[in-house]
Amino acid sequence: MNGEPTRIAAPVALGASASPDSIRRAPTVKLRAYLLLAAAGMVGGLAAGLPQLVALAAPFAAYVALGIALERRPRLTVSAEGWPDRALEGHDVSGAVRIQADTAVDRIELELRCGAGVTSQGPLRQVLRLGEGQQEEVGTALQVDRWGARHLGTLACGVSDGFGLIRYELAPVSLGAVRVFPRGETLRELINPLEEQATTGSRVSRQRGEGIEFADIRPFVPGDRIRKINWRVAARYGTPYVTERHPERNADVILFLDTFAEVREGAGSTLKLAVRAASSLAAAYLARRDRVGVVGFGGALTGLGPRFGQVQQYQILDALIGSEVIFSYADKDVRFVPRQMLPPKALVIAITPLIDERFIGALVDLRARGYDIAVLDVSPVPLAPAGKTASDVLAHRLWLLRRAALASRLGELGVPVTEWRGEEPIQVPIISTSALRRRSRTLAA
Amino acid sequence: MSGWLVIALTAGGSGLIVAAVWARWPALILWGLAALGSAYAGGVASGRDVWLTTPLVAAALLALGEASFYGAERASGTDYSGRQAARVLLAALAGLVVSAAVLLAASIAVPSSLVLTLVGTLAAVLAIALPSVRFRRRV
């Protein structure tokens, strides 16, 4: 999955439709206007004794009478077909609307009402004319701006008779709901954990044991396998030497998502960035056969324990698209997180805007418990620019200084903090984090 | 009715219809047509020769109403301009015939009050009873 955008299952057809039985009939503005004009002319003519006024109003009355007398109830079926139930953030969602007319219909008005967060690529209103027994399929494409569960919208269908006096409204047809997965990014380098787990994986461990990658050569000791003897070195020194290798292990990676608070401005949001980062990281780590789990730590605690495989990736995506900030005054700490979600020796990647003290406290607590932590700071700074007054600018500078001090304090605790503003690929802060971790290990050594 | 009032009603009615089409507000068309009809009624009261012009004006008003409603309710993707133009012409022709027939009926040697009473009663019954009967029926 690494390097590939999230794969989506095949579209599923929806059977939403509006049948002829659900037609509602109503007079149009034109009918009311012509009736009023006809009545006014007739009454005026009678009152004033002027047959000319009656003659002026008579065509309107005749038009209404003819239109109502020749009215035929339309019979048509509108159905939405081929709309997918899964999509990728920012990608088009296309489907069709099929209209089957059992009677000739002079004017069919289709109006698409998009759901929240959904925009249309084509015209929202279309007018058709169908003969008896004809059917028409109108295709359209929608774009979903943000991940999450979205209602695509409804299609309102109105039919006017040939005279435009009576309008028939069909029950709106739902286009269904779509689960929009966050857009993933290609990650070539990842943050390596300090310790691996005991199970086999694709990650070359720092430990020595059975493996492929060369680690060292040492003298033979009783108990070593004969097949491990390095015969060239043994021949050169005259005593047996064995080759040591690095075993291939996997790691447990926990994506620790801050859902206490978010900063939002227009279409931008720290939670949106956080979910995008978590999605990319989950896909990349799972592709390397690591076990990945996700914990949404906020007003409501959500999460998945670490597991392998593609099924886990879809479960993580499902968990991520349900991420939302739930405001809460409750004082929470990591004791609330089930132990299965935070296994020992796991690499915890915290994705947070660093604005809620409870989450920062949880990070410090986890570090004190010996967890290997890296912080990806989805920066709220671009979303909260300085005000215009001098005091606003000063307050903004103080806020920036406080954030820098916080990052420095966490760095001193062995928790590297890397800022990501969402403008550059997520690979950039990941590489920076890896470099920071290497530097801190070198300094510690 | 004074000439200025007739001119004002004509201008106001035309403006209302243009505004209705421009703003896609069909409810304005009623008032526009009513204003134009009132302006013509002012001309009738001033004693002009109306026996010839009334059918033409009636046909023109109906055609104007049809065209205005089409313009106010237009939608993208429509290709009905030709059909609608034919429909407007047909409506105008039919309006001309109906209006002339009413005038002809009014001019025959029967008391005009009787004709007016009959026509008015019939129109009132049609205007009230027919829609009531039609719309009371459940779909």
Side-chain angles (χ1 to χ4, degrees):
Chain A
M1 197 67 196
N2 190 21
E4 291 280 328
T6 311
R7 291 189 179 87
I8 302 300
V12 178
L14 293 175
S17 65
S19 65
D21 299 332
S22 56
I23 294 178
R24 192 168 56 85
R25 188 172 61 164
T28 61
V29 177
K30 187 176 177 181
L31 173 60
R32 294 196 189 100
Y34 282 10
L35 274 178
L36 277 172
L37 285 172
M42 302 273 178
V43 172
L46 282 171
L50 291 171
Q52 295 86 350
L53 284 183
V54 178
L56 206 61
F60 291 98
Y63 188 96
V64 170
L66 193 66
I68 291 177
L70 297 180
E71 177 209 352
R72 279 175 53 188
R73 182 187 172 200
R75 295 188 61 82
L76 74 163
T77 308
V78 182
S79 56
E81 294 177 355
W83 292 91
D85 63 350
R86 294 177 182 182
L88 268 181
E89 182 186 14
H91 282 210
D92 286 353
V93 179
S94 57
V97 177
R98 186 188 299 274
I99 304 115
Q100 166 77 43
D102 296 331
T103 57
V105 184
D106 192 66
R107 182 183 168 103
I108 305 172
E109 291 176 22
L110 299 171
E111 187 177 353
L112 181 64
R113 295 165 188 160
C114 297
V118 181
T119 51
S120 173
Q121 301 288 310
L124 293 174
R125 196 171 174 215
Q126 289 196 35
V127 178
L128 303 171
R129 180 176 180 275
L130 290 178
E132 187 176 345
Q134 277 189 339
Q135 69 172 13
E136 180 87 23
E137 195 170 288
V138 181
T140 186
L142 303 174
Q143 193 172 48
V144 190
D145 302 330
R146 186 179 159 153
W147 47 265
R150 302 261 172 244
H151 182 237
L152 284 171
T154 53
L155 186 82
C157 182
V159 178
S160 296
D161 68 331
F163 287 84
L165 298 175
I166 296 164
R167 184 176 171 81
Y168 306 89
E169 295 278 355
L170 274 75
V173 177
S174 171
L175 302 183
V178 64
R179 291 193 304 177
V180 184
F181 293 137
R183 185 160 44 91
E185 287 186 32
T186 301
L187 294 179
R188 296 182 187 281
E189 282 191 37
L190 293 172
I191 303 168
N192 290 320
L194 290 178
E195 290 183 275
E196 289 82 17
Q197 303 293 321
T199 46
T200 305
S202 303
R203 192 178 294 283
V204 178
S205 170
R206 290 186 182 84
Q207 310 293 324
R208 291 172 186 178
E210 297 293 331
I212 297 172
E213 294 290 327
F214 175 83
D216 201 358
I217 295 170
R218 63 168 172 78
F220 180 86
V221 293
D224 282 337
R225 289 184 177 181
I226 301 298
R227 60 182 290 193
K228 290 177 73 177
I229 291 177
N230 190 323
W231 295 106
R232 289 189 177 185
V233 178
R236 176 175 293 179
Y237 291 107
T239 56
Y241 275 77
V242 294
T243 304
E244 288 187 316
R245 298 183 184 278
H246 291 296
E248 282 76 35
R249 298 278 189 250
N250 74 347
D252 282 354
V253 180
I254 303 300
L255 303 170
F256 201 50
L257 207 61
D258 182 355
T259 55
F260 274 113
E262 73 168 317
V263 179
R264 187 182 287 189
E265 172 70 27
S269 150
T270 53
L271 187 63
K272 189 176 176 180
L273 285 181
V275 167
R276 196 203 304 174
S279 161
S280 306
L281 286 166
Y285 277 110
L286 285 169
R288 296 194 181 189
R289 294 178 193 151
D290 290 326
R291 297 201 312 163
V292 181
V294 62
V295 175
F297 191 61
L301 182 69
T302 57
L304 281 172
R307 289 193 194 88
F308 302 101
Q310 190 132 17
V311 173
Q312 175 72 351
Q313 183 180 348
Y314 279 106
Q315 287 181 339
I316 287 176
L317 287 173
D318 280 340
L320 287 176
I321 64 174
S323 301
E324 58 179 338
V325 171
I326 297 173
F327 189 75
S328 167
Y329 285 111
D331 187 19
K332 293 193 174 172
D333 59 35
V334 289
R335 285 177 301 172
F336 289 94
V337 182
R339 191 169 171 74
Q340 297 84 356
M341 288 189 189
L342 281 174
K345 297 184 184 178
L347 166 64
V348 178
I349 301 178
I351 307 171
T352 167
L354 288 177
I355 52 177
D356 195 285
E357 291 294 333
R358 290 169 291 186
F359 194 86
I360 296 163
L363 289 181
V364 174
D365 196 357
L366 280 175
R367 183 61 192 141
R369 290 164 190 247
Y371 279 95
D372 177 18
I373 303 177
V375 174
L376 180 63
D377 172 17
V378 280
S379 178
V381 175
L383 305 172
K388 291 178 181 173
T389 64
S391 58
D392 287 345
V393 172
L394 185 62
H396 192 258
R397 285 179 59 191
L398 282 171
W399 179 55
L400 293 181
L401 283 172
R402 279 194 63 184
R403 288 181 57 79
L406 175 64
S408 173
R409 187 158 59 90
L410 287 171
E412 286 170 6
L413 293 172
V415 180
V417 177
T418 312
E419 188 184 47
W420 183 44
R421 298 191 171 199
E423 295 153 356
E424 67 273 17
I426 192 175
Q427 184 68 80
V428 176
I430 296 297
I431 291 174
S432 302
T433 306
S434 296
L436 275 174
R437 285 160 63 85
R438 273 197 300 273
R439 193 189 310 160
S440 62
R441 277 203 300 272
T442 308
L443 289 174
Chain B
M1 194 180 286
S2 71
W4 286 109
L5 189 56
V6 171
I7 291 171
L9 280 172
T10 307
S14 307
L16 279 173
I17 287 177
V18 170
V21 173
W22 181 72
R24 300 192 178 204
W25 192 0
L28 279 182
I29 295 171
L30 164 66
W31 303 107
L33 290 175
L36 290 176
S38 303
Y40 182 72
V44 170
S46 66
R48 276 189 257 155
D49 181 17
V50 295
W51 293 97
L52 191 61
T53 56
T54 299
L56 290 173
V57 172
L61 277 180
L62 186 59
L64 182 63
E66 283 295 290
S68 309
F69 275 108
Y70 173 71
E73 292 170 349
R74 69 190 181 278
S76 58
T78 53
D79 54 351
Y80 301 124
S81 303
R83 288 172 53 83
Q84 190 62 26
R87 181 172 292 169
V88 169
L89 283 176
L90 192 64
L93 192 63
L96 187 74
V97 172
V98 170
S99 185
V102 169
L103 282 179
L104 190 65
S107 66
I108 58 177
V110 292
S112 59
S113 57
L114 176 63
V115 174
L116 280 174
T117 305
L118 286 176
V119 171
T121 306
L122 181 66
V125 167
L126 281 177
I128 295 167
L130 195 56
S132 306
V133 170
R134 296 293 293 188
F135 288 110
R136 191 182 297 164
R137 204 170 58 192
R138 283 192 171 275
V139 176

